[in-house]
Amino acid sequence: MPIYKITGEKKDGYQKYRVVVNYTDPSGKKKTAERKVYGKSAAEQAEEDLRKKVKSGATADDLKQKPMTVLDLWNRYEEEKKTELRSTTLAKKKSVLTTHVIPTLGKTQLRTLSKEDILTWRNTMAKKELRVTTKNNAFRELRALLNYAVDRGLLRDTPMKRVPTFRDPYQESAAAKLRYYTKDQYGKYIAEAEKEAADKNDLRAWGILVFFEIAYLTGMRKGEINALRWTDIEDGDYIWVRRSVTQKLKGQKWVETPPKTASSVRRLQLPKTLRETLDQHKARQKSIKGWKESFFIVGGPEPIPDTSIENANARFAKAAGLPHITIHEFRHSHASLLCNAGINIKEIARRLGHADVEMTLRTYSHLYPKEEERAVSVLDNL
């Protein structure tokens, strides 16, 4: 194996290695390409990179060791993580980094990347008219990328230490930021959805109605609802969340993916009204030629396009005279309904598929009704 340990040379605990690949150039001359890197995994990756370049017919100049840039680092990270991350997760990382980081830092060499470079990038981002959450998403992805470089021995240390995240000087409280529909508002909203479905009387319109009933009454994510099949219903009383559907991958209409986290796989008991809705919708779908139990609950042979769902959401809200909320905020609506009924926060976290109850508490704890008064009442009765 052409990887040699350079005795006595280490950096930040990483052993230095010399990577050598012998090859024959187009003229028939035998030549050698080499790299010197820190860390065994970095050496193995360097060997693989060299072999790929040799196989593709790279010239001697192409094989010379060139300083790695931030863009080179991202390309290497993307290639390595293709087999480790969900395609949607990797696509999201790519979108964030190529939009907000690479244009500014992409050509910067890793060996010269400094805290000053990071602060300059941060100042550029701070001036953009973007949401603070968008800016902090970019901050976190850049930090993760540079931490990867440290893990692989490509950087001695991350220049992002003690660089602050972005803050909103007019930051709203959790209660002010959280938008959702109350039970009464949902009643008005779903009445408009039912009216449109009855008027159009086609499977797509009925499917959209079913989508929003599932969203409000289960708190599932959009992709989870789109991925539901009739085979996911158990004994007519329970429904399994086992997968997700994304429509955001370039060049692909839709793709099934694993659920967001391990805790996203869950079994939910169906309320009576939703069981009745699903029974009626299944009877409608069976009119499709070639219908199978493996059909999508909402869409049939394939999921309904996200744009159709989004446009319908805006129509129903307007027709009902309600403020427009996003599809994701139907999850908030479901959680708020349960919180106001005093349901245990652990059960709400389970229903939402949250990996961490703390996340559920941070988001929804303020919705619990009159907890302070209840606490004082208990103390008064001692």
Side-chain angles (χ1 to χ4, degrees), residues 361-378:
L361 276 168
R362 285 195 301 271
T363 308
Y364 303 115
S365 60
H366 66 280
L367 293 174
Y368 277 86
K370 301 181 179 178
E371 286 299 297
E372 185 176 7
E373 288 87 342
R374 287 177 61 192
V376 172
S377 175
V378 170

Side-chain angles (χ1 to χ4, degrees), residues 22-226:
N22 298 313
Y23 69 101
T24 303
D25 70 8
S27 67
K29 292 182 179 179
K30 294 187 178 299
K31 292 191 175 182
T32 298
E34 69 172 63
R35 297 277 189 276
K36 290 181 181 178
V37 296
Y38 289 91
K40 187 66 176 291
S41 62
E44 290 170 350
Q45 183 66 48
E47 181 194 18
E48 184 180 346
D49 291 345
L50 281 173
R51 288 194 183 282
K52 283 182 179 178
K53 286 184 177 181
V54 167
K55 192 173 181 180
S56 66
T59 65
D61 283 341
D62 294 330
L63 293 169
K64 287 180 181 177
Q65 188 165 8
K66 298 174 183 176
M68 179 177 278
T69 64
V70 173
L71 176 58
D72 294 331
L73 176 65
W74 160 248
N75 290 334
R76 173 172 164 174
Y77 178 93
E78 182 183 26
E79 186 63 31
E80 182 177 322
K81 297 297 179 180
K82 280 180 180 177
T83 58
E84 298 177 16
L85 298 177
R86 297 167 75 228
S87 54
T88 49
T89 301
L90 193 58
K92 190 178 293 184
K93 287 177 175 288
K94 183 173 185 176
S95 175
V96 171
L97 287 166
T98 55
T99 302
H100 301 299
V101 175
I102 299 302
T104 305
L105 295 174
K107 294 181 180 180
T108 306
Q109 294 179 8
L110 276 188
R111 67 186 183 187
T112 65
L113 186 66
S114 66
K115 184 174 181 178
E116 190 62 35
D117 293 323
I118 302 299
L119 289 172
T120 299
W121 168 81
R122 187 185 182 283
N123 290 337
T124 301
M125 282 292 291
K127 294 173 184 176
K128 293 182 179 180
E129 293 185 2
L130 299 169
R131 295 173 61 189
V132 172
T133 52
T134 301
K135 296 175 183 179
N136 278 327
N137 281 341
F139 184 96
R140 283 190 291 270
E141 292 299 346
L142 175 57
R143 182 173 58 195
L145 184 65
L146 296 181
N147 285 341
Y148 163 83
V150 173
D151 290 342
R152 295 297 183 272
L154 303 170
L155 273 178
R156 284 188 295 178
D157 200 2
T158 174
M160 293 191 74
K161 281 187 175 178
R162 290 179 291 281
V163 174
T165 55
F166 297 94
R167 296 180 182 275
D168 184 353
Y170 306 104
Q171 189 172 15
E172 297 176 291
S173 65
K177 288 192 292 184
L178 200 64
R179 302 191 308 167
Y180 57 89
Y181 284 155
T182 63
K183 182 180 177 181
D184 288 342
Q185 287 176 316
Y186 170 71
K188 294 176 182 177
Y189 178 96
I190 209 66
E192 294 298 330
E194 289 171 345
K195 181 180 177 183
E196 181 175 297
D199 289 344
K200 291 186 175 180
N201 198 27
D202 61 40
L203 283 172
R204 173 166 290 193
W206 286 112
I208 290 173
L209 167 66
V210 171
F211 177 96
F212 286 108
E213 287 203 45
I214 294 173
Y216 190 82
L217 296 174
T218 70
M220 289 185 202
R221 301 174 178 93
K222 178 176 67 175
E224 294 171 344
I225 300 172
N226 283 332

Side-chain angles (χ1 to χ4, degrees), residues 178-190 212 216 312-338 340 367:
L178 200 64
R179 302 191 308 167
Y180 57 89
Y181 284 155
T182 63
K183 182 180 177 181
D184 288 342
Q185 287 176 316
Y186 170 71
K188 294 176 182 177
Y189 178 96
I190 209 66
F212 286 108
Y216 190 82
N313 180 33
R315 284 197 309 275
F316 301 154
K318 184 177 181 180
L322 296 170
H324 174 265
I325 66 172
T326 66
I327 304 300
H328 187 76
E329 286 168 332
F330 274 77
R331 274 168 67 77
H332 297 332
S333 300
H334 178 73
S336 71
L337 183 69
L338 299 182
N340 280 293
L367 293 174

